[in-house]
Amino acid sequence: MSFAEALAGAGAKPAGKRPYFLEPQVERVLAITMAMAQELAVARQRSDTLERLLLEKGVLTPGEIDAFVPDRAASAERQMWNQEFIARILRIVQQENEAVMSPAEVASGDVGEELAREA
């Protein structure tokens, strides 16, 4: 997967304009924070599982993970993952920038309000 493909996939969004329930600035910060929290929780659970399994099977010794120094290939993979991670975390900012470029999209909330006025 190329860097451009990874960023495009990380920034995928549903069709239509984003509805807001709070102030847009508050929702932006909340969305970023919750995305980070979700990523961190999953990473923590996986890391804990791996460490417990590896220690239990005698593959690792305590402290070995902390002493690990990645080689050049591993560093490059980590850097790619970091870029994809940041793209996922800042997805809302990217989507808002795209929305400015495509103002013709209609938010589902706007459609609901319009239908309510017509009824």
Side-chain angles (χ1 to χ4, degrees):
M1 174 184 298
S2 73
F3 181 69
E5 291 169 333
L7 286 179
K13 69 173 186 121
K17 198 172 169 185
R18 173 184 288 277
Y20 286 99
F21 302 100
L22 303 171
E23 292 294 319
Q25 296 85 353
V26 173
E27 287 218 14
R28 181 181 307 119
V29 172
L30 181 60
I32 291 169
T33 303
M34 293 309 297
M36 288 179 60
Q38 180 181 13
E39 292 282 344
L40 180 58
V42 170
R44 174 67 178 100
Q45 290 170 358
R46 292 180 63 85
S47 173
D48 180 67
T49 298
L50 286 171
E51 287 183 39
R52 289 174 189 269
L53 288 171
L54 293 171
L55 286 169
E56 182 181 301
K57 294 178 187 262
V59 175
L60 286 178
T61 58
E64 197 171 350
I65 290 175
D66 293 330
F68 177 75
V69 177
D71 62 17
R72 184 173 290 198
S75 291
E77 287 178 26
R78 286 180 176 190
Q79 288 174 0
M80 173 63 84
W81 183 90
N82 284 336
Q83 291 300 316
E84 293 170 3
F85 175 69
I86 295 300
R88 286 191 306 275
I89 296 302
L90 296 177
R91 182 174 58 128
I92 189 170
V93 175
Q94 175 191 353
Q95 291 172 355
E96 287 176 349
N97 289 339
E98 291 170 358
V100 168
M101 301 304 231
S102 304
E105 290 185 355
V106 178
S108 57
D110 295 340
V111 172
E113 289 174 13
E114 184 177 334
L115 290 173
R117 284 192 301 268
E118 291 176 6

